Amino acid sequence: MTDYKTTLNLPKTAFPMKANLAQREPQMLKRWYELDLKAQLDAQGEGRKKFILHDGPPYANGEIHIGHALNKILKDIIIKSKSLSGYYVPYIPGWDCHGLPIEHQVEKKKGKAGQKIDYAQFRQACREYAGKQVKKQMEGFKRLGIIGDWDHPYLTMDFKFEADTVRSLGKIIKNGHLDKGYKPVHWCIDCHSALAEAEVEYEDRTSPAIDVRFYVSDVNDLLKRITTQNGKEGKGKVSLVIWTTTPWTLPANQAVCLNPDVDYALVQTKGVGEHGQELLILAEPMLAGIMARYECEDYEIVSQCKGRDLEGLMLKHPFYEKEVPVVLGDHVTLDTGTGAVHTAPGHGQEDYVVANRYDLEVYNPVGGNGVFLEETELFAGVHVFKANDAVLEVLKSKSTLVHLESINHSYPHCWRHKSPIIFRATPQWFISMTKKDLQKTAMSEIEKVQWIPDWGKNRISAMVSNRPDWCISRQRTWGVPITLFVHKESGELHPRTDELFEKVAKAIEEGGIDAWFDASAEDFINEDATEYEKVSDTVDVWLDSGVSHYAVIEQREELSFPADLYLEGSDQHRGWFQSSLLTSCAINQKAPYKAVLTHGFTMDEKGEKMSKSQKNAVAPQKVMNKSGADILRLWVASTDYTKEQRLSDEILKGVSDIYRRIRNTCKYLLSNLSDFDPAVDLIDKEKMLPLDRWAVAAAYRVQNEVVEAYDNYHFNHLYQKIHNFCSVEMSGFYLDITKDRQYTMQASSLARRSSQTATYHLLNAMTRWLAPILCFTADEIWQLIPGKTSDTVFTGEWYQGLSDLDENSEMNHEFWLNVIEVRDAFKKEMEKVRVSAEGVGSSLDVEADIYCNGQYFQSLEKLDDEFRFLLITSYARIHDKANKSSAAAEYSLSNDNKVWVHVHKANSEKCVRCWHHREDVGQSEAHPEICSRCESNVAGEGESRLYV
RNA sequence: GCCUUGAUAGCAUAAUGGUAAAGCACACGAUCGAUAAUCGUGCGAGGUCUGGUUCAAGUCCAGAUCAAGGUACCA
C-alpha cells in the first residue's frame, strides 16, 4: 500500500498552538523597542490627522492594580485602533507626583517634616520616592503592551511642570478667579494641622446632646409673623430651641437656622425642667417626640407659622450679650433635634455655606492647639473638649439649657492619632465659581463636550452646578506653592502679582518648588518684603493634574489643544475631569477636551468590590505572569467597561478559551500558507473560486463592523464578532470545506492558490483587527504572514484587499445563505444516520440526496458534483422536489421554504487518499487504492474546480 | 441619609417598542491529515421584584430590592 499521505499538502507552520505568552511577550516587547516602534509611528504620523488622547496621570504610589491596567489597556486599544484608522496618535503618559499619600510614605521612613527632618530634605525624599514609584509603575504599563512616549512622560513634579502649574495659577488669578476666605476645615489638634478628606475616618463617639433656648428678643416682632389661633395668648418667655451635640461650638454661634418649608409651632408649656411657664418654638411635626424627650406632657400649640415667616427674627445668644438672626436653610431636617439648627459658620461646612448667603461672620474662636483664644469671653484658655462642661454650666446659670442627654454617634477622627477632630475655620485660598462666572462657563462648556456614555454629562453637570468655591490651598510640604505675596496688614495681593508669577515660575523651572520654599520674600520682591508676606500654602494636588492641559497639551509640540479624548474611571467626574474643566475654563474659557469616555470599576465574580484586604483582588502582574498580557487585554475588550466589570479566575479561563480559539484559527490559516508567495501565487479576484470570494466578502463585512466598533469604542462587540467569525464562518464552514482542496489538490493548482489567496487576505485583515487588542499575538502572527511589508502590524491602516460580493451575481450572499441552510439541514439528518447506521462515522461515509423546489434547485444545481465538497460527503445530488423519495426527511428553511434530505451510507470503496467513497476507486492499475480525482492530482494534470 | 448609574440563561455579552440572538460552559457523539486541536447534535433564560403606559415592553414610566460610584455624616 502506497503511503499517499506524503502526496498531500498538509498544514505546516512555525506558529505554535501553545502561546506561552508569559515568556514570549517580554521578548516581543524587546523587539518593538529595538525597532523603535514609537519612532516608526511618529514618522508615519507626519501629515496625518492627529488624534489626541490625553493621559490622566495615575498617582505615583504603589503597585499597579487592575484599575490601572483596565484604564491603560483601554487607552492603548484606542491608540492602536485610531492609528490603524489613519490618525497620528501621540500618547504621552503622565504621573501625579505631589501630595499627601507620598508625604505619608516618606514620613513613615524619615519622620515628620520640620521635626526629625528639615523641609527641603523632606521634599527631596518625596521627590525620590515618587520617582521610584513612577519607574515601577512604568515597567508594569510597558509590560501590558502600552505604546507611548515612555522616554518623555510627564510628571507633575518635573521642574517644568511645576513651573507651568504656577503659571496656570497665575493665569487663573489674572483672570480674576481667586478669592481669599475663611473656611472650616477638618482640624486635628494633635497634628496641629488641617486634614484632607482622605485623612479622616469616622468612628463612634459619645457626646452630650443638648437642647438650648434662644430667647426671642422682640416678642412683638414674633407675633407679627405668626398666626394667632383662637385668640389664645401664651404666657411666659418665648424662645426658639436648638439641639446640638457640640456644646463647645456655641461661643461661635452666629445664627439659628430653620427649614423654610417646615411648620413651626409656638407651644405653651408649664416650663421645661426648672424653668417656669414658657413658650417654645419647635418644629411642629416633631413636637410629640420632643415633648416626650423633655418629659413634658402638658403642652398646647398656641400658634403656627412656616419657617420662612421667621427669617430675620432676632434672638438672644444663650450666654453672650448679643443677638443673632434666624436664617433659612434646606439642610435642616426633621430626623433629629428640634428643627432649629445652631449655626456656627466657623465650625461647620453647612453653617459656613449658610453664613455666606446671609453674610454672617465666619467666626472661629479656637486656636490651632484646640484652646479658646485669649479674647474668648468666658472660655479663654479652655480646651474645646473640656469646654463642653463649662458651656453646660454657663447655660444652666443662664437658664438656657432645656435638656441634656448623651448620644452615641459617628464622629470624624484623625486617621493617625485616632483622636476626635474638630471643624475649624482657617484662612484659605479659593477659586471662585461665581466671581467671574466660572460656573456658568463650565456649565455651558459641558454642553459642548461629548460624554460617553451619555449619563456622564448628567453626573458632571450635577456636580459642577452644586459645587462650592474650590478651596485650592493646603497646608502641606510636598506640593506646588501658592506663589503669592500678600500685604501683612491689608491682606491685599502684591500689585505686581502677575509679573511676579512669571519671575517665580522661571526660578522654579530652574530649581523646582524648592526655589520658592527655600527663598525668602526679599529674593523676589526686595524691599517690599517688609510689607509683604510670602504665602506658605501649597496648592491642592487636583490643581496640579487639572492644569495638565496647559502644562502638557499646550507645551508639547506633538499635541494640540483641546484634546480629542480624556478617558478615566467614572470617579473622575468629581476629580480630574472636573479640575481640568474648571482650570481650563478659568484660563481658556473653554473645555480642555472634546469628548470624555468613562469606565466603571472592576468587581469580583460576585460583583463585590475588589480589595486587597478581602483577597478577592486579581493582580494584573499575576495575570501577565501566568496567562499573559494579551489575556488581560482580551478580558478588557470582552467587557462592557462603561459599567462595572467582573473579573475572576473563572472568567479569565473563559477568556483564555476564546483566545485559544482565535489563536488556533490564525494558526491554521498560517499553516496553509507555508508554500505561498503572494508575489507569485496571488490570484486575481476575478479568477478566484466563488467560495473563496465569499470568504473574502464575509471578512469584508466583518471588517466594516470591526472598524465601526472601534470607532464607537464598543470593543466588546468586536470581541464577539471576531470570535464568531473565527468559529462559525471560518472554522465551522469555510475552513472545514476547503480543507479538501488545500490538502488533496496539486500544490500550485489554481483552485488551491485561490483558497490560499483568500487565506492570505483573511490573515492580513484579521491580524489588524486583532492588533489593538491582542497586540502581542497579532504581531506574532504578522511575522509569519508571507510577503509582509512592514516590521510590525501596528503601522499602516486597515487592510484594503477585501471586497464584497456583487449582489447581482449568481453566487451572491443570498445564494451562500441558501447553501448554509441546506447544509444545516443535511447535518441534522446526517446525525440521525450516524446513530442508526452501522459503520457511519464521518460525513464522508455517506451520500446525500437533496430535494428542493424550483428556485433552490436551479441555484444549487449549478454546483453539480462540487456540491459534495460543501457537505463534505462522498456524493451529493440535487433533485427537484417533484422527484423526491419517500425516504427523504423534511426540513424547514427561512422564508417558508422547505428542503428534503435523504442521507444513506455510501457503498463504494473508500479512497485511501481523500477518504471519499467513490465508484471509480480501483479503476487505475497504477493507483488501485485511490479515486480518479486523486489519481489525476497525484499522477496527472490535476483536477480542476469551478466553485468550491 | 442624599444624588447618579446599573440588573438579560452557570459565564461574559447582543438585540430602531414588534417571534429574546450567537458564543463559552455542559451532555452525547464523530474524527484522529488544524491534535495541549477539529467537526456534529443536543441542552438551556420569558428577562431582579411590583405596578403602569401601549395593539405590542427586556426596551418607556413609577415604586421596591440588590450592587457600584459620588457626596454627606450634620446641628
Side-chain angles (χ1 to χ4, degrees):
Chain A
M1 181 172 145
T2 320
D3 183 10
Y4 287 101
K5 197 161 168 173
T6 57
T7 70
L8 297 170
N9 313 299
L10 292 179
K12 205 170 107 189
T13 178
F15 187 77
M17 182 55 217
K18 185 162 183 197
N20 237 330
L21 290 173
Q23 283 76 45
R24 206 185 301 265
E25 285 171 348
Q27 295 165 18
M28 306 205 58
L29 273 173
K30 203 174 145 219
R31 179 170 172 272
W32 295 348
Y33 286 102
E34 280 166 9
L35 288 169
D36 203 349
L37 177 54
K38 170 78 175 66
Q40 288 193 12
L41 289 165
D42 287 344
Q44 164 182 273
E46 299 271 343
R48 278 186 170 197
K49 216 178 142 195
K50 282 180 187 179
F51 185 86
I52 308 299
L53 167 53
H54 180 46
D55 193 33
Y59 195 75
N61 190 25
E63 295 288 340
I64 63 168
H65 53 71
I66 198 70
H68 289 122
L70 172 77
N71 179 259
K72 292 291 189 203
I73 289 171
L74 286 172
K75 282 171 178 160
D76 193 55
I77 291 175
I78 290 171
I79 290 163
K80 290 189 168 113
S81 65
K82 284 285 176 193
S83 185
L84 284 165
S85 287
Y87 290 89
Y88 173 43
V89 197
Y91 175 66
I92 299 172
W95 273 273
D96 198 1
C97 303
H98 293 125
L100 188 100
I102 289 172
E103 282 191 37
H104 279 319
Q105 293 300 324
V106 172
E107 270 181 22
K108 275 192 211 160
K109 286 180 206 152
K110 312 256 174 180
K112 251 188 119 159
Q115 291 174 6
K116 287 187 182 158
I117 177 171
D118 75 36
Y119 287 95
Q121 283 176 327
F122 185 83
R123 276 191 287 270
Q124 185 53 35
C126 288
R127 190 174 286 283
E128 281 163 18
Y129 176 84
K132 277 185 202 155
Q133 299 298 312
V134 167
K135 225 171 186 177
K136 186 171 68 178
Q137 293 191 353
M138 188 189 289
E139 286 315 307
F141 294 152
K142 285 164 100 170
R143 176 65 186 82
L144 285 168
I146 317 294
I147 292 178
D149 196 353
W150 298 110
D151 292 334
H152 313 93
Y154 77 88
L155 311 189
T156 61
M157 66 176 183
D158 288 338
F159 290 178
K160 178 68 164 69
F161 194 109
E162 288 178 337
D164 285 334
T165 305
V166 167
R167 289 193 178 98
S168 302
L169 183 60
K171 284 172 190 287
I172 292 167
I173 292 170
K174 190 180 176 190
N175 290 342
H177 296 289
L178 189 78
D179 237 347
K180 192 186 184 184
Y182 288 85
K183 189 195 144 131
V185 292
H186 289 291
W187 187 271
C188 174
I189 294 161
D190 296 323
C191 296
H192 210 276
S193 164
L195 300 184
E197 204 52 56
E199 297 168 289
V200 175
E201 55 188 33
Y202 292 88
E203 276 166 37
D204 276 354
R205 169 177 164 86
T206 304
S207 304
I210 57 171
D211 296 65
V212 180
R213 292 182 186 90
F214 278 65
Y215 290 117
V216 174
S217 304
D218 180 351
V219 177
N220 286 329
D221 183 25
L222 173 69
L223 293 175
K224 275 185 237 156
R225 294 163 179 268
I226 62 180
T227 331
T228 306
Q229 285 190 337
N230 310 326
K232 279 179 201 157
E233 270 188 44
K235 282 174 190 157
K237 283 176 125 179
V238 187
S239 60
L240 182 53
V241 182
I242 63 94
W243 180 82
T244 180
T245 56
T246 49
W248 63 267
T249 61
L250 281 170
N253 176 279
Q254 301 295 328
V256 172
C257 194
L258 304 181
N259 186 314
D261 297 317
V262 163
D263 288 314
Y264 288 85
L266 182 62
V267 181
Q268 176 74 63
T269 75
K270 286 179 180 164
V272 181
E274 307 292 302
H275 204 280
Q277 201 169 40
E278 64 176 326
L279 290 146
L280 303 175
I281 302 171
L282 297 160
E284 191 181 334
M286 306 174 73
L287 200 52
I290 295 167
M291 286 308 180
R293 191 146 54 86
Y294 296 167
E295 293 173 353
C296 173
E297 280 151 29
D298 198 3
Y299 64 92
E300 182 183 18
I301 295 176
V302 175
S303 56
Q304 298 154 300
C305 63
K306 289 280 183 195
R308 64 166 47 86
D309 299 329
L310 299 179
E311 186 178 22
L313 179 71
M314 296 309 285
L315 308 169
K316 283 183 185 155
H317 190 277
F319 46 79
Y320 287 150
E321 279 304 317
K322 72 171 191 176
E323 293 193 332
V324 298
V326 170
V327 296
L328 303 177
D330 291 327
H331 65 283
V332 178
T333 58
L334 302 179
D335 343 317
T336 49
T338 59
V341 173
H342 144 60
T343 298
H347 295 305
Q349 172 61 32
E350 282 170 328
D351 294 359
Y352 170 79
V353 172
V354 173
N356 281 346
R357 217 164 47 233
Y358 285 92
D359 213 14
L360 302 174
E361 188 190 351
V362 180
Y363 175 59
N364 165 47
V366 180
N369 54 0
V371 170
F372 280 102
L373 300 173
E374 286 293 312
E375 65 267 25
T376 318
E377 209 179 318
L378 302 173
F379 308 105
V382 180
H383 192 279
V384 287
F385 292 128
K386 295 191 176 129
N388 276 343
D389 291 339
V391 169
L392 289 175
E393 285 312 309
V394 174
L395 289 174
K396 276 179 196 159
S397 72
K398 302 270 181 187
S399 295
T400 46
L401 181 66
V402 183
H403 185 72
L404 164 68
E405 61 189 23
S406 277
I407 186 172
N408 200 17
H409 62 156
S410 112
Y411 190 86
H413 288 68
C414 172
W415 76 341
R416 264 176 304 164
H417 293 98
K418 308 291 173 201
S419 53
I421 60 180
I422 60 174
F423 257 100
R424 177 172 175 266
T426 54
Q428 303 288 346
W429 297 97
F430 295 85
I431 292 178
S432 166
M433 288 297 117
T434 48
K435 221 165 103 180
K436 291 285 178 180
D437 285 337
L438 184 53
Q439 200 153 35
K440 274 189 198 150
T441 309
M443 288 304 286
S444 77
E445 283 301 302
I446 286 171
E447 293 298 320
K448 298 177 194 161
V449 173
Q450 186 196 0
W451 301 91
I452 313 165
D454 50 12
W455 49 257
K457 182 175 154 188
N458 290 341
R459 183 170 288 188
I460 195 152
S461 299
M463 287 173 175
V464 171
S465 66
N466 286 328
R467 71 160 296 146
D469 289 346
W470 180 5
C471 177
I472 57 164
S473 46
R474 295 290 184 274
Q475 293 70 48
R476 295 269 146 214
T477 310
W478 177 230
V480 175
I482 296 180
T483 58
L484 287 170
F485 296 93
V486 293
H487 196 273
K488 284 178 178 167
E489 276 155 32
S490 70
E492 293 289 316
L493 297 185
H494 193 283
R496 288 186 293 119
T497 288
D498 193 29
E499 193 184 308
L500 287 168
F501 257 94
E502 183 51 35
K503 190 173 179 182
V504 174
K506 282 233 166 67
I508 288 178
E509 206 166 317
E510 288 292 306
I513 51 175
D514 291 305
W516 169 264
F517 292 115
D518 293 347
S520 65
E522 288 85 13
D523 294 340
F524 294 108
I525 54 172
N526 307 323
E527 67 277 9
D528 291 352
T530 51
E531 289 176 62
Y532 288 87
E533 197 168 43
K534 186 167 151 267
V535 169
S536 65
D537 288 355
T538 60
V539 113
D540 177 8
V541 281
W542 282 115
L543 193 105
D544 291 33
S545 57
V547 299
S548 65
H549 56 80
Y550 176 77
V552 180
I553 300 179
E554 299 256 35
Q555 307 299 322
R556 292 277 184 115
E557 207 173 315
E558 63 269 45
L559 305 180
S560 60
F561 181 91
D564 290 290
L565 187 67
Y566 275 35
L567 192 179
E568 306 298 330
S570 58
D571 56 336
Q572 298 302 329
H573 287 107
R574 169 65 52 183
W576 191 57
F577 295 150
Q578 198 179 148
S579 62
S580 298
L581 175 69
L582 292 176
T583 55
S584 182
C585 286
I587 294 171
N588 310 303
Q589 291 78 49
K590 202 174 159 150
Y593 35 67
K594 293 182 195 157
V596 172
L597 182 61
T598 50
H599 56 80
F601 292 80
T602 304
M603 307 295 146
D604 69 8
E605 63 220 310
K606 292 182 216 119
E608 306 270 303
K609 205 154 99 175
M610 282 197 174
S611 68
K612 279 167 246 156
S613 54
Q614 279 205 339
K615 295 203 301 192
N616 61 352
V618 176
Q621 297 83 352
K622 218 169 150 188
V623 180
M624 287 191 283
N625 295 334
K626 192 183 156 208
S627 315
D630 266 1
I631 299 299
L632 198 59
R633 296 178 66 105
L634 188 57
W635 167 75
V636 169
S638 77
T639 62
D640 177 357
Y641 60 83
T642 59
K643 33 189 183 187
E644 67 211 42
Q645 324 88 42
R646 310 224 167 161
L647 181 57
S648 66
D649 287 344
E650 193 202 330
I651 290 166
L652 279 172
K653 193 180 161 289
V655 172
S656 301
D657 285 342
I658 304 293
Y659 173 83
R660 292 222 312 280
R661 182 62 188 226
I662 294 171
R663 184 179 177 92
N664 192 245
T665 304
C666 292
K667 182 196 168 195
Y668 183 68
L669 291 173
L670 278 175
S671 71
N672 284 324
L673 290 182
S674 59
D675 63 340
F676 184 77
D677 176 0
V680 194
D681 302 317
L682 202 72
I683 302 294
D684 286 346
K685 185 182 150 191
E686 292 71 28
K687 291 188 188 142
M688 287 170 70
L689 266 57
L691 178 63
D692 298 329
R693 286 163 71 171
W694 171 85
V696 171
Y700 173 84
R701 294 187 160 202
V702 172
Q703 177 154 294
N704 285 342
E705 294 178 316
V706 163
V707 173
E708 195 194 339
Y710 275 124
D711 283 347
N712 298 326
Y713 311 126
H714 290 160
F715 309 132
N716 58 339
H717 288 195
L718 50 96
Y719 167 82
Q720 296 211 70
K721 292 252 157 63
I722 294 173
H723 176 252
N724 212 53
F725 180 72
C726 284
S727 50
V728 179
E729 273 133 319
M730 291 297 109
S731 222
F733 184 69
Y734 179 72
L735 299 178
D736 207 21
I737 292 165
T738 52
K739 193 187 284 186
D740 179 88
R741 202 181 340 141
Q742 283 286 356
Y743 291 3
T744 67
M745 289 186 71
Q746 293 189 345
S748 56
S749 59
L750 175 82
R752 183 158 177 279
R753 293 301 188 209
S754 166
S755 146
Q756 286 180 311
T757 299
T759 302
Y760 175 78
H761 290 314
L762 289 166
L763 267 175
N764 264 292
M766 199 146 78
T767 43
R768 287 173 168 99
W769 305 344
L770 296 174
I773 299 169
L774 299 175
C775 60
F776 294 104
T777 304
D779 201 45
E780 189 185 351
I781 298 164
W782 184 257
Q783 304 311 317
L784 296 168
I785 298 179
K788 70 179 168 78
T789 50
S790 61
D791 289 335
T792 70
V793 67
F794 306 112
T795 51
E797 300 188 21
W798 305 115
Y799 187 59
Q800 294 306 308
L802 305 175
S803 56
D804 208 350
L805 294 180
D806 177 0
E807 281 306 297
N808 295 318
S809 64
E810 283 187 334
M811 293 187 178
N812 59 11
H813 281 286
E814 197 192 340
F815 169 82
W816 290 107
L817 213 64
N818 292 340
V819 167
I820 289 168
E821 282 193 343
V822 172
R823 191 169 179 266
D824 286 341
F826 162 77
K827 286 194 285 197
K828 288 199 174 79
E829 193 60 18
M830 167 69 212
E831 190 63 20
K832 287 186 200 159
V833 175
R834 200 203 312 271
V835 179
S836 60
E838 272 301 296
V840 174
S842 152
S843 59
L844 285 174
D845 296 336
V846 303
E847 302 179 10
D849 288 280
I850 311 287
Y851 304 87
C852 45
N853 68 19
Q855 189 197 336
Y856 275 77
F857 178 66
Q858 276 172 17
S859 72
L860 296 179
E861 189 195 28
K862 287 194 291 271
L863 296 169
D864 196 32
D865 183 49
E866 291 187 23
F867 196 69
R868 66 178 162 123
F869 296 114
L870 282 177
L871 300 189
I872 318 181
T873 56
S874 287
Y875 286 92
R877 291 171 284 261
I878 303 288
H879 311 276
D880 192 290
K881 76 169 176 191
N883 307 323
K884 96 174 176 259
S885 125
S886 58
E890 183 179 298
Y891 285 88
S892 303
L893 308 180
S894 60
N895 305 325
D896 292 329
N897 277 309
K898 284 186 176 130
V899 69
W900 291 264
V901 182
H902 180 212
V903 174
H904 52 95
K905 189 177 171 188
N907 297 315
S908 329
E909 201 68 20
K910 180 177 176 179
C911 167
V912 299
R913 186 170 178 273
C914 73
W915 297 342
H916 283 241
H917 292 259
R918 300 297 287 183
E919 283 168 6
D920 51 19
V921 173
Q923 277 181 4
S924 163
E925 285 184 18
H927 299 281
E929 292 172 300
I930 63 177
C931 67
S932 59
R933 178 172 77 98
C934 279
E935 189 195 7
S936 164
N937 285 331
V938 171
E941 290 181 3
E943 70 169 311
S944 63
R945 294 276 184 96
L946 295 176
Y947 308 108
V948 182

